[in-house]
Amino acid sequence: MNRISHWVNNKVLAGTSGKTGKVFNPATGKQESEVELANIADVDAVVAAAKAAFPAWRATNLSRRAEIMFRMRELVDANRKEIASLLTQEHGKVPSDALGEVARGLENIEFACGVPALLKGGYSEQASTGVDVYSIRQPLGVVAGITPFNFPAMVPMWMFANAIMCGNTFVLKPSEKDPSASMFVADLLRQAGLPDGVYNVLHGDKVAVDRLLEHPDVAALSFVGSTPIAKYVYETGTKNGKRVQALGGAKNHMLVLPDADLEMAADAAVSAAYGSAGERCMAVSVVLAVDSVADALVEKIKSRVPNIKVGAGSDPASEMGPLISREHRDKVASYVTNAAKEGAKVVLDGTDKAKDEGFFLNPSLIDHVKPGMKCYDEEIFGPVLTVMRVKSYDEGLKAINDNQFGNGTAIFTRDGGVARQFQYEVNVGMVGVNVPIPVPVSYYSFGGWKASLFGDQHMYGPEGINFFTRGKVVTSRWPDPRTSQVDLGFPQNR
Ligand code: NAD
């Protein structure tokens, strides 16, 4: 059995807990590896290595840091297929989707190569007579990233590229369900010339996360995962005096107005709902269809779904792979089974596929859903698209704003004025106008509102730089005996 251990000081480190987790190939349903699950001593050893590496890394000049990240950019680019194939093996996503994940992750490494320009402070000469004031941003120390199963390469790249380039040392606690990509990337960072201890991987479950949350030498935690755990991580980490950004779950609505191009809207809904088997925090899970076009839109979506080729990523024809685990697959299927009992109309039932050895489901389509139904109120995180019918733009907007989540949303319309109004009044962090999955490019920042994000800094981009640094303002005067005097009043600038 392949065994996956921790990564510390640029090499593999066996843990001491004796505990392991199972890593499956979701397409076959078979266990392929076991991953070590850290105990407190393991966490402490990894954090100690990161702490020891911090002073020298912090002192490493910006050009040298950028040079390493540029090399990393080349290495990831050259190894796209290798990383993608690890994603397919352990997560199940099909190669085109896995390659897309690597490409979007790589954007963040490219952004981080330019971090010297982003770390420039401000300077005010002669703020007072003979006095200059300037601001600088400094790293925090040891920072940790805790990541979900659904983007095992991209989400860590959202975090570590900026964290490291800002001068921090980094401990990644990846999902224990698909941990291999983080080990592969760790070795690429070693090849790029990153010094020992700057990027470390700690495998584990709640025990590891809890120790990171209380560890006195961890300055900040960046988390992505489900809402209950995000809330827990945010509350516990901040109580322990740490800086925390915690991104949670989602229920993304796509509002289709009567003037929209319905063919384009149906294509977008199908792509955004069933891509990656719906296991994306930016997946569309609810279509809000205005009554006058609802029947036509549901018909167009329904006609497209049977063309989706569900299968293992090893088959080049497959467009949608399996779900991450048997338990998750069964949970997703239960939403479809319940929906009919709750009064919704199951237009397409994909649960027949649940009999396969691998963790597959076929796509499901549920019409006439309403608030109060489980399939509407909860995040499903699977290949299930629900349709809620609304009378008007206003009713659609209200549904989105009433929802507990606020990660992504999209409006489909030809009316620029209405789209602008939507962007202005919708309470969601990432908005698409005729774009179903509006994941911001790396030079903007990623983050939802409401129960989709705890904390005040979004992930990556400029807010990522802010998150991984703290500001300092220096007020300086060089000795000039002509202006020196005793003055007990509060310093003024005139
Ligand atoms: P998860 O919350 O189960 O796990 C995320 C991380 O937390 C993992 O590293 C896991 O080991 C750890 N963890 C799990 N249970 C814990 C506990 N009780 N205490 C401490 N740590 C714990 O999430 P997941 O199932 O891996 O990922 C899917 C979820 O992530 C979905 O809800 C999805 O919407 C969300 N997600 C959000 C974003 C975003 O940017 N908002 C992006 C991707 C995924």
Side-chain angles (χ1 to χ4, degrees):
M1 178 74 57
N2 179 40
R3 192 179 177 92
I4 301 162
S5 304
H6 312 296
W7 179 270
V8 185
N9 283 330
N10 274 332
K11 49 184 183 294
V12 173
L13 176 81
T16 60
S17 75
K19 259 181 69 190
T20 55
K22 294 179 179 178
V23 181
F24 291 89
N25 178 340
T28 62
K30 296 211 169 62
Q31 186 186 350
E32 298 288 346
S33 309
E34 57 185 9
V35 60
E36 295 207 36
L37 300 175
N39 58 15
I40 289 177
D42 295 337
V43 180
D44 289 356
V46 177
V47 172
K51 186 182 180 189
F54 177 63
W57 179 242
R58 182 192 171 189
T60 303
N61 68 57
L62 292 174
S63 304
R64 170 82 187 125
R65 285 187 220 163
E67 192 186 336
I68 293 170
M69 203 48 78
F70 270 111
R71 248 185 257 133
M72 180 61 180
R73 193 249 159 236
E74 294 305 298
L75 286 163
V76 173
D77 184 40
N79 286 278
R80 285 173 195 250
K81 279 199 183 136
E82 287 72 11
I83 300 171
S85 89
L86 289 172
L87 304 180
T88 299
Q89 274 167 44
E90 291 185 355
H91 173 282
K93 58 180 73 180
V94 298
S96 57
D97 192 27
L99 284 165
E101 168 173 354
V102 178
R104 293 307 304 262
L106 186 54
E107 278 183 19
N108 290 275
I109 290 176
E110 289 165 350
F111 176 80
C113 290
V115 92
L118 295 160
L119 284 179
K120 286 196 293 195
Y123 195 102
S124 300
E125 187 184 55
Q126 198 72 348
S128 186
T129 307
V131 173
D132 303 328
V133 178
Y134 51 98
S135 64
I136 50 182
R137 297 207 69 88
Q138 296 189 332
L140 307 174
V142 179
V143 298
I146 301 163
T147 52
F149 79 81
N150 67 324
F151 284 106
M154 181 184 78
V155 171
M157 288 175 188
W158 286 0
M159 300 172 179
F160 78 72
N162 287 331
I164 287 174
M165 286 304 290
C166 289
N168 302 285
T169 54
F170 189 80
V171 175
L172 174 67
K173 206 303 283 168
S175 170
E176 62 275 39
K177 293 179 183 136
D178 42 18
S180 290
S182 56
M183 297 299 278
F184 189 89
V185 167
D187 196 56
L188 295 184
L189 283 163
R190 180 192 63 76
Q191 292 173 44
L194 195 71
D196 290 358
V198 177
Y199 173 89
N200 309 279
V201 184
L202 173 75
H203 297 292
D205 54 14
K206 181 170 168 57
V207 173
V209 173
D210 283 347
R211 180 61 184 151
L212 289 171
L213 284 170
E214 64 176 25
H215 200 296
D217 292 329
V218 173
L221 291 117
S222 187
F223 174 92
V224 176
S226 60
T227 287
I229 312 295
K231 188 163 185 282
Y232 166 75
V233 164
Y234 183 75
E235 288 174 355
T236 314
T238 50
K239 197 174 74 198
N240 291 334
K242 301 185 190 316
R243 183 179 289 195
V244 183
Q245 57 179 180
L247 277 63
K251 192 83 185 174
N252 305 314
H253 294 60
M254 170 175 158
L255 175 56
V256 182
L257 299 187
D259 70 341
D261 181 323
L262 290 191
E263 300 295 339
M264 184 178 157
D267 284 341
V270 169
S271 313
Y274 304 117
S276 210
E279 290 176 326
R280 290 180 184 142
C281 69
M282 291 293 275
V284 165
S285 63
V286 185
V287 165
L288 294 170
V290 174
D291 279 336
S292 58
V293 293
D295 285 342
L297 182 61
V298 170
E299 208 41 53
K300 288 181 194 305
I301 293 172
K302 184 183 163 192
S303 71
R304 283 162 168 76
V305 173
N307 300 330
I308 298 172
K309 174 94 175 62
V310 179
S314 53
D315 176 354
S318 299
E319 294 172 300
M320 191 184 108
L323 285 96
I324 186 69
S325 66
R326 184 168 286 116
E327 298 71 37
H328 185 56
R329 189 263 314 270
D330 294 345
K331 185 174 172 215
V332 171
S334 75
Y335 284 103
V336 181
T337 314
N338 269 334
K341 292 183 201 146
E342 290 180 313
K345 181 177 171 201
V346 179
V347 179
L348 295 168
D349 183 340
T351 58
D352 52 328
K353 187 88 176 145
K355 293 187 279 296
D356 284 22
E357 287 291 295
F359 311 142
F360 290 98
L361 277 181
N362 278 326
S364 294
L365 178 63
I366 308 176
D367 197 0
H368 296 285
V369 305
K370 291 193 171 60
M373 296 179 182
K374 268 179 98 148
C375 65
Y376 180 76
D377 291 345
E378 296 178 15
E379 181 181 39
I380 300 177
F381 220 57
V384 180
L385 178 59
T386 61
V387 179
M388 181 156 121
R389 292 166 178 242
V390 290
K391 289 193 184 60
S392 59
Y393 164 86
D394 287 330
E395 201 180 303
L397 177 77
K398 183 171 181 318
I400 301 171
N401 285 348
D402 284 350
N403 197 269
Q404 61 162 320
F405 298 108
N407 212 41
T409 189
I411 187 167
F412 276 70
T413 177
R414 286 194 175 91
D415 186 330
V418 176
R420 189 176 182 283
Q421 187 67 17
F422 181 72
Q423 148 212 314
Y424 181 75
E425 54 194 5
V426 74
N427 290 333
V428 170
M430 293 171 283
V431 180
V433 176
N434 298 314
V435 172
I437 308 184
V439 174
V441 289
S442 62
Y443 40 98
Y444 284 81
S445 297
F446 181 108
W449 288 12
K450 300 187 276 183
S452 297
L453 182 136
F454 301 87
D456 50 5
Q457 295 279 349
H458 289 194
M459 190 83 47
Y460 71 72
E463 294 194 40
I465 302 297
N466 279 345
F467 182 77
F468 287 120
T469 54
R470 53 187 164 178
K472 193 178 262 181
V473 178
V474 181
T475 303
S476 92
R477 177 173 64 182
W478 293 98
D480 177 356
R482 290 169 304 175
T483 60
S484 178
Q485 63 180 57
V486 172
D487 180 355
L488 299 190
F490 194 65
Q492 295 184 44
N493 296 326
R494 287 170 212 280

